[in-house]
Amino acid sequence: MSPQAEQNPLLVLENPLPFDRVEPRFVEPALDQLIAEARRAVDAIASSEAPPTYENTLLALESATDRLERAHLLCEHTESAATSPEFRAVYNVAQPKVSQFWSE
């Protein structure tokens, strides 16, 4: 894991969720990285030639998008409950990217 990933609480989600450590500077890079990871995983599932099963489709999709979903929910909660102009600005940049991913 890179030093940057270790410092970004959105990339190393733990329980309890680190609400107090989420800063505006972490939002866009983390969500961009998690979208890219999820997209690669979803593409691999979609291109699999194995007969579809619950495990290799639905469960695999859930697993492929879990980190993105958790990080985005953490950002969404922070934006609604403890926002600042800086946080709102980065959230508003990242939100359309996340929406586009889910729409695809």
Side-chain angles (χ1 to χ4, degrees), residues 10-64:
L10 295 169
L11 294 175
V12 187
L13 290 171
E14 54 197 31
N15 289 319
L17 291 173
F19 290 101
D20 60 330
R21 295 195 329 256
V22 176
E23 298 175 21
R25 65 189 173 106
F26 295 134
V27 173
E28 192 172 9
L31 292 179
D32 285 349
Q33 178 178 328
L34 294 170
I35 289 168
E37 289 174 9
R39 185 169 282 125
R40 283 190 299 272
V42 169
D43 288 347
I45 294 164
S47 65
S48 173
E49 294 186 18
T53 65
Y54 175 80
E55 287 79 17
N56 71 13
T57 45
L58 297 177
L59 194 58
L61 283 169
E62 185 175 323
S63 177

Side-chain angles (χ1 to χ4, degrees), residues 66-96:
D66 182 64
R67 289 182 68 215
L68 172 60
E69 184 174 13
R70 292 183 75 211
H72 180 251
L73 287 172
L74 180 55
C75 292
E76 189 174 55
H77 177 78
T78 302
E79 199 286 320
S80 68
T83 197
S84 66
E86 296 82 16
F87 197 92
R88 183 173 296 117
V90 295
Y91 180 80
N92 287 340
V93 169
Q95 179 61 27

